[in-house]
Amino acid sequence: RALETTATFLKESEGGAKGGEWVIHSPTVTSTKFWPGTLGKTANHAMVIARLIDGDGVDHGIHNFLVPLRSMEDHTLLPGVETGDIGPKIGYNNMDNGFARFDNVRIPRRNMAMRFAKVDEEGRYEKVGVKGGSSKNNDAASKVAYITMMQVRAYIIHSSNDALAMACTIAIRYSTIRRQGYNADADKKRAENAPNE
């Protein structure tokens, strides 16, 4: 997968906080999180999708992490966090869509969404299956981490359907009353040049 943002586990024995912590990092410009709602100026926390790299340096793919963005005291950005508004858009300008980059932002180990996978204090990764479930259910559960992005994309498709329906209604109503090729001046000249009866 092309996701570039990483969440690397840092053990307490290697300089991490008590119990270990995650280092969230956007290594390139293309790893910038772009377009999330309320991210530009409003949000205090973000659910960040990143590639999980465990304590042994093994990449376990996409996982969710709750990352604090701003101070709860004065709303200033926390160290290593860069956000901003993406500016005017075509439609829906009342939403504060923004961008975010992370420069080695440290968050507690517990800020990982650990319903279907967990990492212990030593950085050991373990998938958590559905209790009493089949391996098929456990495989499906491992894909749930991707659902956040899928829900947004499904909503965009659904919303575009509504916009297209409104546009078609306007076009059809307009086309039924419009006189194609009508020229009011031509009617006036025709009346002036008509023979008197």
Side-chain angles (χ1 to χ4, degrees):
R1 301 201 181 170
L3 187 67
E4 296 176 59
T5 302
T6 58
T8 306
F9 189 78
L10 186 60
K11 300 175 189 176
E12 184 178 348
S13 62
E14 295 174 355
K18 183 169 173 51
E21 62 187 349
W22 297 104
V23 179
I24 308 294
H25 187 59
S26 305
T28 63
V29 172
T30 56
S31 64
T32 301
K33 304 297 184 182
F34 196 78
W35 207 271
T38 72
L39 187 62
K41 298 180 181 182
T42 310
N44 290 322
H45 293 80
M47 184 59 77
V48 175
I49 311 293
R51 290 188 356 255
L52 184 152
I53 299 170
D54 70 11
D56 296 324
V58 178
D59 188 334
H60 291 280
I62 295 172
H63 288 74
N64 298 346
F65 299 86
L66 184 62
V67 180
L69 303 173
R70 293 181 172 83
S71 164
M72 298 304 286
E73 303 297 322
D74 61 4
H75 202 64
T76 57
L77 290 173
L78 295 174
V81 177
E82 177 187 351
T83 69
D85 188 80
I86 63 171
K89 305 169 289 292
I90 298 174
Y92 211 45
N93 277 316
N94 59 337
M95 177 56 76
D96 171 27
N97 293 102
F99 67 88
R101 290 201 55 191
F102 305 98
D103 184 17
N104 296 307
V105 175
R106 293 183 175 206
I107 62 172
R109 179 181 64 88
R110 288 287 183 185
N111 283 28
M112 173 188 166
M114 293 196 203
R115 182 172 180 187
F116 298 110
K118 63 182 180 181
V119 174
D120 68 14
E121 294 181 357
E122 291 303 311
R124 289 184 293 263
Y125 179 86
E126 177 187 356
K127 281 191 174 188
V128 178
V130 178
K131 290 183 179 161
S134 67
S135 62
K136 185 177 181 180
N137 286 343
N138 289 340
D139 185 48
S142 69
K143 292 178 176 59
V144 171
Y146 195 64
I147 195 71
T148 306
M149 291 191 289
M150 292 304 296
Q151 285 175 322
V152 171
R153 283 155 179 78
Y155 174 74
I156 290 170
I157 292 167
H158 178 73
S159 297
S160 64
N161 176 46
D162 294 344
L164 180 60
M166 287 188 279
C168 288
T169 301
I170 292 167
I172 291 167
R173 287 180 181 170
Y174 178 72
S175 68
T176 60
I177 60 167
R178 181 175 179 265
R179 290 181 63 185
Q180 181 92 16
Y182 175 71
N183 186 342
D185 290 337
D187 283 350
K188 192 190 298 183
K189 284 182 182 176
R190 199 174 302 125
E192 290 172 3
N193 294 333
N196 292 334
E197 294 184 15

